[in-house]
């Protein structure tokens, strides 16, 4: 018997109500202490501007910032100094991201709802956006690409990257290199709630943006939610998560690799497999235990699996789909014999990986799909980051004189019924045109 490393094991239908609730209600909201601390940091930046940002860099990052902004030349130098194989891989990833997102660009539409009445809608690129690139436990140049490349594809006027500084006062070299490769216009050595506040409200050095995108820690997530009165944001996001649906056709070791790949992100990551058949579930759990024992980021992996890991069995695929819809995972891997057929059954997922060969790692880096995704069940209502996040829509209505005359009486009637008599008068004025 392999050691038990998972929080939950057993039949899905036998899962205790409290355990099911904990798996499904993976709230991305922050606790009261984080929320209050975040509010204090935002207020501090709004009050003191650049001075507050420099103080926060000293307090949280141990960095003394000679300048908040990183010169473009330093980003270009970081790109030039990358190992050739890393630069080649990043270039390939950026190219695929650009291709995938260019195919999703929206088009203007105009429809004639009745003769002489035309309604149109046009996508307009945002003027300026901020892309947050995390630091801390790991550095993610790939997240820079996922934010900057779609923004540039959309035609955003100015793309600004913020990432926490290291002790030398600079973000990680990989982040700077990715910013240069993706075509970011400006880069700032700013992290956490302070960076979000600066992007939302502006300071002496940091211009305010129209939208903030990108993943971050609990303070970044809380800050984004607290500044929505001033700026657009992407989907609220929390720790990484995966739900694997696996049948007997897939190697349990392959499922375990996917579980570990998400578990190593964060001790709060949630990793769940729903396996068809008790034997397959037991084989997957054993494979996860073996993989966890040799994991290089073992402390993070062990916490994630022991606190939010599960391998649950079902008697048939049909039994799995209601749970998939309720769980609404960030990443859904269909490791089953007929994944393409099952894709039509999926509604609530940040992104779906169709078949066991479609490793989540490929989506994280190279397929061209975006890896900035909703978590904590919010895939029920939110989609992953896409080129659409970098537009706002302008709508218009055209009404000919003849159409205005035909609309006048009915519009006047409706306006009168709502007690809006000036509306009625404005409408009826054109009935004899």
């Amino acid at each position: 018997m392999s050691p038990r490393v998972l929080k939950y094991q057993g039949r899905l239908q036998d899962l205790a109500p409290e355990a099911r609730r904990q798996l499904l209600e993976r709230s991305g909201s922050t606790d009261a202490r984080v929320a209050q601390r975040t509010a204090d940091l935002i207020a501090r930046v709004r009050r003191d501007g650049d001075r507050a940002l420099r103080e926060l860099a000293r307090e949280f990052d141990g960095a003394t910032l000679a300048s908040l902004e990183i010169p473009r030349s330093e980003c270009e130098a970081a790109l030039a100094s990358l190992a050739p194989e890393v630069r080649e891989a990043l270039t390939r990833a950026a190219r695929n991201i650009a291709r995938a997102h260019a195919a999703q660009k929206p088009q203007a539409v105009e429809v004639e709802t009745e003769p002489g009445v035309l309604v149109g809608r046009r996508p307009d690129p945002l003027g300026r956006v901020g892309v947050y690139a995390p630091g801390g436990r790991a550095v993610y140049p790939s997240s820079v690409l996922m934010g900057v490349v779609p923004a540039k594809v959309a035609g955003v006027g100015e793309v600004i990257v913020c990432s926490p500084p290291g002790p030398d006062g600079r973000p990680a070299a990989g982040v700077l290199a990715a910013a240069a490769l993706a075509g970011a216009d400006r880069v700032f050595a700013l992290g956490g709630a302070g960076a979000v506040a600066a992007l939302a409200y502006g300071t002496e050095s940091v211009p305010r943006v129209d939208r903030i995108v990108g993943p971050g820690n609990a303070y970044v997530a809380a800050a984004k939610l607290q500044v929505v009165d001033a700026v657009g944001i992407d989907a609220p996001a929390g720790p990484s998560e995966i739900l694997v649906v696996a049948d007997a056709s897939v190697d349990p070791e392959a499922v375990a690799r996917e579980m570990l790949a998400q578990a190593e992100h964060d001790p709060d990551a949630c990793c769940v497999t729903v396996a068809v058949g008790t034997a397959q579930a037991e084989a997957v759990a054993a494979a996860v235990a073996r993989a966890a024992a040799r994991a290089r980021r073992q402390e993070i992996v062990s916490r994630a699996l022991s606190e939010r890991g599960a391998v649950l069995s079902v008697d048939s695929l049909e039994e799995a789909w209601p749970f998939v819809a309720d769980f609404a995972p960030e990443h859904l891997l269909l490791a089953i014999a007929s994944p393409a057929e099952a894709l039509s059954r999926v509604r609530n997922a940040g992104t779906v990986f169709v078949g066991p060969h479609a490793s989540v790692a490929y989506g994280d880096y190279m397929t061209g799909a975006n890896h900035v995704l909703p978590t904590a069940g919010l895939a029920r209502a939110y989609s992953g980051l896409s080129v659409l996040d970098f537009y706002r829509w302008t709508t218009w209505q055209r009404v000919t004189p003849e159409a205005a005359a035909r609309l006048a009486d009915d519009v006047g009637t409706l306006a009168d019924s709502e007690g809006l008599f000036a509306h009625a008068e404005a409408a009826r004025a054109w009935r004899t045109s």
Side-chain angles (χ1 to χ4, degrees):
M1 178 71 72
S2 59
R4 186 181 178 103
V5 299
L6 297 158
K7 177 75 170 179
Y8 305 110
Q9 286 180 240
R11 288 165 58 85
L12 175 60
Q13 67 179 29
D14 296 335
L15 196 63
E18 177 61 18
R20 187 183 182 95
R21 185 190 67 77
Q22 289 180 358
L23 283 176
L24 296 181
E25 297 181 8
R26 311 174 307 282
S27 175
S29 62
T30 53
D31 63 39
R33 289 174 299 175
V34 171
Q36 184 56 59
R37 180 63 173 144
T38 299
D40 293 342
L41 295 172
I42 291 172
R44 191 168 157 189
V45 172
R46 295 189 71 180
R47 183 185 66 242
D48 297 331
D50 285 0
R51 180 162 65 86
L53 294 174
R54 294 177 188 279
E55 291 170 354
L56 294 176
R58 285 194 294 272
E59 293 172 22
F60 292 104
D61 305 304
T64 299
L65 301 183
S67 172
L68 302 183
E69 186 168 4
I70 304 299
R72 181 184 295 271
S73 60
E74 290 194 23
C75 297
E76 296 291 348
L79 179 60
S81 66
L82 278 182
E85 64 273 16
V86 176
R87 179 167 181 164
E88 182 179 350
L90 278 176
T91 300
R92 182 181 181 185
R95 183 171 61 246
N96 287 348
I97 294 166
R99 285 175 176 168
H101 288 75
Q104 302 164 19
K105 291 177 69 172
Q107 301 296 318
V109 297
E110 186 174 75
V111 59
E112 190 172 41
T113 58
E114 63 181 73
V117 179
L118 294 99
V119 176
R121 198 165 188 247
R122 181 190 70 216
D124 294 323
L126 297 178
R128 182 185 291 125
V129 300
V131 175
Y132 188 85
R137 290 189 183 94
V139 175
Y140 300 110
S142 56
S143 290
V144 177
L145 300 185
M146 294 292 176
V148 176
V149 172
K152 301 300 280 189
V153 167
V156 170
E158 185 176 39
V159 182
I160 295 173
V161 172
C162 285
S163 192
D168 63 352
R170 297 289 182 267
V175 167
L176 298 181
L181 178 64
D185 296 288
R186 301 177 71 180
V187 178
F188 288 87
L190 301 172
V196 174
L199 291 170
Y201 300 107
T203 71
E204 300 92 324
S205 298
V206 185
R208 65 179 299 179
V209 301
D210 303 318
R211 184 180 293 271
I212 302 171
V213 304
N217 63 16
Y219 288 93
V220 171
K224 286 165 70 176
L225 289 173
Q226 290 185 25
V227 299
V228 292
D229 63 335
V231 68
I233 65 168
D234 53 359
S240 189
E241 56 190 42
I242 186 172
L243 175 59
V244 183
V245 178
D247 63 15
S249 70
V250 69
D251 182 358
E253 299 290 340
V255 178
R257 288 193 294 270
E258 298 298 329
M259 295 270 282
L260 267 289
Q262 296 307 307
E264 74 172 352
H265 267 295
D266 191 304
D268 292 327
C270 185
C271 307
V272 179
T273 291
V274 174
V276 180
T278 301
Q280 180 70 337
E282 291 177 349
V284 169
V288 170
R290 290 192 295 272
R294 60 177 183 268
R296 293 175 64 180
R297 293 165 67 88
Q298 192 166 84
E299 183 178 352
I300 294 173
V301 165
S302 296
R303 272 192 59 189
L305 295 175
S306 64
E307 295 180 12
R308 294 171 184 81
V311 174
L312 306 169
S313 67
V314 292
D315 295 329
S316 68
L317 274 177
E318 287 302 312
E319 187 183 341
W321 301 128
F323 181 79
V324 171
D326 288 344
F327 192 88
E330 177 189 22
H331 306 101
L332 173 63
L333 173 60
L334 301 178
I336 55 180
S338 301
E341 296 175 15
L343 180 60
S344 64
R345 303 294 303 272
V346 177
R347 288 293 180 271
N348 301 342
T351 189
V352 186
F353 296 84
V354 185
H357 296 94
S359 172
V360 174
Y362 295 150
D364 281 345
Y365 293 105
M366 198 61 67
T367 65
N370 210 292
H371 77 202
V372 180
L373 302 164
T375 63
L378 288 173
R380 291 176 294 109
Y382 287 90
S383 304
L385 190 69
S386 77
V387 71
L388 299 178
D389 286 281
F390 300 102
Y391 293 93
R392 62 163 304 283
W393 291 82
T394 297
T395 59
W396 66 84
Q397 298 115 77
R398 305 177 194 268
V399 180
T400 65
E402 296 78 12
R406 293 195 306 272
L407 293 175
D409 283 334
D410 279 349
V411 172
T413 296
L414 290 175
D416 282 338
S417 74
E418 294 186 351
L420 298 176
F421 305 114
H423 282 65
E425 183 178 350
R428 290 188 177 115
W430 298 103
R431 63 184 170 186
T432 59
S433 297

